[in-house]
Amino acid sequence: MLTALGGWGWLIAGLVLMGLEMLAPGVFLFWLGLASFLVGLLSFLVAWSWQWQLVGFAVFALAAVPLWRRLGRPRQDATDQPYLNRRADALVGRVFTLERPIIDGAGIVRIDDTVWRVSGPDAPAGSRVRIVAADGASLKVEATA
Amino acid sequence: MSGFDIFAIALALVVIATLFAGVKTVPQGFDWTIERFGKYTRTLRPGLNFIIPYFDRVGRKINMMEQVIDIPEQEVITKDNATVTVDGVAFFQVFDAAKASYEVANLNQAIVTLTMTNIRSVMGSMDLDQVLSHRDEINERLLRVVDAAVSPWGLKVNRIEIKDIVPPADLVEAMGRQMKAERVKRADILQAEGQRQSEILRAEGAKQAQILQAEGRREAAFRDAEARERSAEAEARATQMVSSAIASGDVAALNYFIADKYIRAFGEIAQSPNQKIVMLPIEATGILSSLAGIGEIAKATFGESAASAAAAARRGSVPAAGAPPATPPPAGRG
């Protein structure tokens, strides 16, 4: 098939792969398609055997990786729910009242009917603390002025 | 097919396979740990990720969603030595995939065991009544203890809920009887209370009635006395009026009245149903002499002609002693 169609086969395969990328985004098919397309274009300029064309395709595909990582990576933060499964991060910036004092840098804050471990400067019960960062399942806090 | 042919095909396949192996799409709700030659290096977040094939491999696929674990039934002995059967649920969520993967060997079993032992220690420090009525407190204490204990495993226990607390059947039956007795007691007390109240109310009513009757009698007596007083007053006034009338007028008028009364009284005696005895006043003859008084009046009123007629009538009359005071014979008589 490769020999029969010559360069056209590569071009067609390239377009098909690029099209498939739309159906299955982020699976590198677009870049494989691009490599295939490139091989197809080159086969018109340079007469090379299909074996070399395959090798060329492999090389281009590998070469596409750095390009892809720079350009083609879909943006990870494009979501309307950035805090899905990241509950601790969602609490950052909020202010709560200590039910019990923070002693030796560790304490407990009651949020949403459950308790969270917090770490921060010692503070008496009743003082208000702001959550500055999430560290796994515990929260870093600082005293609010 | 030459060796080069096979090499070319194999190369292309290996390259494609390698490229696909380097792309990892992590589904939302999971974090994948990456091990490089068996050592943990990093965690893949949901979305598109790349790893270096041949060096890295996916270690554990950790569920980052909140999960529910059933805490199986177990028998717990309370502080007052009642054996109760308890089960529950625990909600937990992994926050650190690496710790949850490598710090603990069997996460779910560890959580279940930890919760079970803590249920024993918390409930073992309470009486049965407390255990049955202070579930919130039990849940709270369990949560604090278990959550602190699981912190090295990179997860957080959000809630622990005791589902069923089942005391042994004979104890339940005793509780039922206790409650029934309690309610029967309340009913009896209420009934007695009601009776007492009604008795009191009835006595109050009787008392009020008697008071009112006495007041009525008192009032009536007062009014009777007043009536008597008034009538006496009237009598006195009448007497006074009569006496003043006599003083200023003629005695003959008085005689007329008395005679009138006298005759009427006599008539009444005669009409009495007792036919055998006719009571006659001692001075029955006085009646007739009183008629003379009337004659006197007539004489004084109508003049001589009437007087002579009256005198003729009087000739048959016998003057009697004790007659009501007759008018003195006028001058020039006989």
Side-chain angles (χ1 to χ4, degrees):
Chain A
M1 182 195 83
L2 286 171
T3 49
L5 288 174
W8 289 111
W10 286 106
L11 290 174
I12 291 163
L15 289 172
V16 167
L17 285 168
M18 286 184 207
L20 281 175
E21 175 78 10
M22 286 182 221
L23 300 179
V27 200
F28 199 65
L29 288 176
F30 177 83
W31 299 93
L32 286 181
L34 204 64
S36 173
F37 205 77
L38 204 61
V39 171
L41 285 178
L42 282 174
S43 64
F44 290 110
L45 305 174
V46 183
W48 50 358
S49 66
W50 64 265
Q51 296 91 334
W52 281 111
Q53 286 176 0
L54 266 180
V55 173
F57 169 73
V59 169
F60 285 137
L62 284 175
V65 173
L67 264 178
W68 171 43
R69 296 195 64 163
R70 199 164 310 151
L71 305 172
R73 278 182 88 162
R75 289 179 57 203
Q76 292 282 320
D77 55 351
T79 168
D80 60 349
Q81 289 280 7
Y83 294 126
L84 265 183
N85 307 113
R86 314 225 64 79
R87 249 178 250 188
D89 297 320
L91 295 170
V92 171
R94 285 175 67 179
V95 177
F96 294 98
T97 305
L98 287 178
E99 218 176 272
R100 300 180 180 196
I102 297 180
I103 299 167
D104 299 335
I108 276 178
V109 169
R110 176 167 277 285
I111 301 170
D112 299 338
D113 199 32
T114 180
V115 294
W116 288 77
R117 295 183 297 277
V118 296
S119 56
D122 286 12
S127 56
R128 293 170 70 72
V129 291
R130 184 191 310 283
I131 290 159
V132 289
D135 172 24
S138 82
L139 304 165
K140 285 194 165 64
V141 298
E142 64 177 12
T144 56
Chain B
M1 205 173 211
S2 70
F4 182 57
D5 297 354
I6 296 166
F7 166 78
I9 293 168
L11 180 70
L13 286 176
V14 165
V15 166
I16 290 169
T18 305
L19 288 172
F20 278 109
V23 179
K24 293 289 173 200
T25 307
V26 181
Q28 181 67 52
F30 288 83
D31 275 10
W32 293 359
T33 59
I34 297 301
E35 297 164 2
R36 179 163 295 176
F37 302 120
K39 182 181 184 298
Y40 167 81
T41 52
R42 64 202 176 97
T43 302
L44 300 187
R45 296 247 178 277
L48 188 61
N49 291 278
F50 311 99
I51 59 172
I52 301 168
Y54 313 110
F55 293 81
D56 295 344
R57 77 185 174 86
V58 175
R60 307 279 169 87
K61 299 179 177 179
I62 298 291
N63 189 340
M64 304 296 281
M65 299 181 251
E66 190 163 345
Q67 296 169 69
V68 186
I69 304 186
D70 266 314
I71 309 297
E73 274 194 359
Q74 59 170 337
E75 295 211 329
V76 177
I77 297 175
T78 60
K79 193 175 171 184
D80 49 357
N81 295 329
T83 306
V84 292
T85 309
V86 181
D87 65 347
V89 283
F91 295 77
F92 73 95
Q93 186 172 17
V94 177
F95 279 79
D96 190 327
K99 283 183 180 172
S101 305
Y102 306 110
E103 287 282 2
V104 58
N106 191 334
L107 187 65
N108 284 18
Q109 195 200 327
I111 293 171
V112 168
T113 311
L114 188 66
T115 310
M116 281 174 84
T117 51
N118 277 294
I119 286 174
R120 280 168 181 274
S121 61
V122 170
M123 285 194 176
S125 66
M126 290 177 151
D127 292 343
L128 179 63
D129 285 343
Q130 272 183 304
V131 165
L132 291 172
S133 59
H134 290 62
R135 289 195 185 200
D136 281 356
E137 197 187 308
I138 295 171
N139 293 342
E140 178 80 13
R141 277 170 68 182
L142 281 173
L143 179 60
R144 282 177 193 273
V145 175
V146 176
D147 186 44
V150 300
S151 67
W153 306 338
L155 53 101
K156 186 174 128 37
V157 176
N158 286 327
R159 323 180 64 82
I160 294 176
E161 300 274 351
I162 300 296
K163 276 203 300 196
D164 277 339
I165 301 175
V166 186
D170 54 347
L171 212 64
V172 174
E173 195 259 335
M175 282 187 212
R177 273 192 294 124
Q178 184 193 347
M179 201 178 84
K180 191 177 161 189
E182 192 75 41
R183 281 172 195 260
V184 168
K185 175 186 157 194
R186 283 219 296 254
D188 286 354
I189 289 173
L190 276 172
Q191 208 168 358
E193 192 74 36
Q195 268 172 356
R196 173 170 167 260
Q197 287 277 10
S198 69
E199 294 283 341
I200 289 173
L201 282 172
R202 247 183 246 125
E204 284 271 335
K207 177 184 162 193
Q208 281 285 359
Q210 281 177 354
I211 289 173
L212 283 171
Q213 275 174 0
E215 269 186 359
R217 284 201 305 273
R218 176 166 167 264
E219 188 73 15
F222 265 100
R223 290 188 184 215
D224 282 348
E226 208 177 323
R228 282 208 306 276
E229 249 171 57
R230 295 277 307 127
S231 71
E233 247 170 58
E235 196 81 36
R237 294 255 326 260
T239 312
Q240 206 174 358
M241 279 164 82
V242 170
S243 63
S244 68
I246 292 168
S248 65
D250 203 340
V251 182
L254 187 64
N255 269 346
Y256 163 76
F257 279 113
I258 292 168
D260 182 48
K261 284 242 165 95
Y262 209 90
I263 290 164
R264 275 181 207 217
F266 193 72
E268 275 174 25
I269 291 168
Q271 276 173 12
S272 76
N274 200 342
Q275 294 288 336
K276 292 180 181 166
I277 299 169
V278 175
M279 304 255 309
L280 276 186
I282 297 168
E283 339 79 349
T285 51
I287 298 171
L288 304 175
S289 68
S290 71
L291 293 176
I294 298 169
E296 293 294 334
I297 296 167
K299 202 199 289 180
T301 311
F302 305 118
E304 278 309 307
S305 59
S308 61
R314 211 175 43 190
R315 276 189 196 116
S317 70
V318 184
T327 46
R333 181 188 153 204

